[in-house]
Amino acid sequence: LEALEAAWDAGIRAVVCVGTTLDSSKKAVDIALEAARDPECNVVVGATAGIHPHEASSGTGALEDWVRDLPGEERDVIVGIGECGFDLYYEHSSPQNQETAFRSQIALAKDLGLALVIHSRDAWADTYRVLEDEGVPEATVIHCFTGGTEEANRCLELGAYISVSGIVTFKNAEELRDAVKVVPSDRLLVETDSPYLAPVPHRGKPNQAAFVPIVGEMVANVLGVAPGVVAARSAENARTVFGLGRLGMPGKAGIG
């Protein structure tokens, strides 16, 4: 729980721990439950359950069965499905398997009334196509958004939220910073994508939730507003998307 203590000290009041395989989804639930039961942990932790496109060849059946069979307390800490979607940069799983897994998880998110967390890399056309076919869940997040203004506008048209990671602090991320400017304040989230993509000046180090204020500060600088404005609004958006209010999320902070 040291990372959660550091997050609290940095002003973070809630964290969403993202699952990418069945095993990591189970671990995310365990972390959320451990945080909830520890009287010394003040950070609220929610979990997602998902199959990353890298792992799509394993299918989603076991994950779906596990989520549906969870007892109440464990099921209650799950606030989203994913991350899921397409990664056509690496193609560790075939595009066909990625699409099948993506469609299944969209259906699961809808059925359970949970947020959908999307990973899209080198795959905007396919991502749009599947979302148009299946219908976009009410609470849908484009996680670690890496597109430009055109992609941001299309995602917004589909009804998605845009979540910005430490990439926004990178020197060569001007296109992403331009995209941030077109995202309405009520559709903007900030994140870390821990343990990857640590923001400047921590680039190259393991990322952690305590670094999310750095992302928020850069976003605020791009938008020409005070960091507290981004922190407050992104926290409110996270509460809306992930239903964190039912977990007792206190205060206002970004989501790591």
Side-chain angles (χ1 to χ4, degrees):
L1 298 175
E2 290 182 7
L4 293 179
E5 292 177 4
W8 177 267
D9 290 342
I12 304 302
R13 298 295 176 261
V15 169
V16 175
C17 188
V18 175
T20 56
T21 63
L22 175 58
D23 286 344
S24 68
S25 298
K26 290 179 177 179
K27 180 63 175 175
V29 167
D30 288 343
I31 291 170
L33 291 171
E34 183 180 359
R37 294 165 179 166
D38 188 337
E40 296 185 0
C41 180
N42 294 313
V43 178
V44 172
V45 180
T48 77
I51 302 296
H52 190 283
H54 288 344
E55 311 296 333
S57 59
S58 65
T60 62
L63 179 91
E64 294 181 39
D65 291 344
W66 169 72
V67 170
R68 294 184 187 280
D69 290 342
L70 281 174
E73 182 185 18
E74 295 178 40
R75 173 80 168 274
D76 286 346
V77 300
I78 295 182
V79 298
I81 299 299
E83 61 186 278
C84 57
F86 288 102
D87 193 312
L88 302 184
Y89 180 83
Y90 286 111
E91 285 195 27
H92 291 324
S93 292
S94 72
Q96 294 78 15
N97 284 338
Q98 292 184 43
E99 181 166 333
T100 298
F102 188 21
R103 290 181 184 272
S104 295
Q105 290 174 90
I106 292 172
L108 183 62
K110 287 182 176 182
D111 188 38
L112 299 180
L114 295 173
L116 179 71
V117 180
I118 294 176
H119 173 108
S120 182
R121 185 170 187 186
D122 283 8
W124 290 114
D126 287 299
T127 300
Y128 304 149
R129 174 176 54 81
V130 170
L131 288 174
E132 289 165 353
D133 285 350
E134 297 291 335
V136 182
E138 183 176 349
T140 292
V141 177
I142 308 299
H143 144 77
C144 193
F145 179 82
T146 56
T149 55
E150 180 180 348
E151 291 78 17
N153 282 322
R154 185 70 186 106
C155 291
L156 292 166
E157 288 172 1
L158 288 168
Y161 289 74
I162 304 294
S163 188
V164 180
S165 73
I167 293 174
V168 75
T169 68
F170 296 178
K171 184 178 180 180
N172 63 349
E174 202 60 45
E175 184 176 300
L176 174 57
R177 287 188 283 272
D178 287 339
V180 166
K181 297 174 185 176
V182 306
V183 181
S185 63
D186 62 350
R187 304 281 283 282
L188 179 66
L189 296 166
V190 292
E191 63 168 280
T192 58
D193 196 26
S194 300
Y196 310 109
L197 301 176
V200 175
H202 302 289
R203 191 170 183 183
K205 300 177 182 177
N207 208 348
Q208 58 176 299
F211 294 164
V212 79
I214 300 173
V215 180
E217 288 170 7
M218 176 57 80
V219 169
N221 182 59
V222 169
L223 297 177
V225 300
V229 172
V230 172
R233 196 57 204 253
S234 63
E236 183 63 31
N237 294 340
R239 275 192 288 271
T240 299
V241 171
F242 294 109
L244 293 172
R246 64 183 171 82
L247 299 180
M249 178 181 176
K252 288 188 175 181
I255 298 301

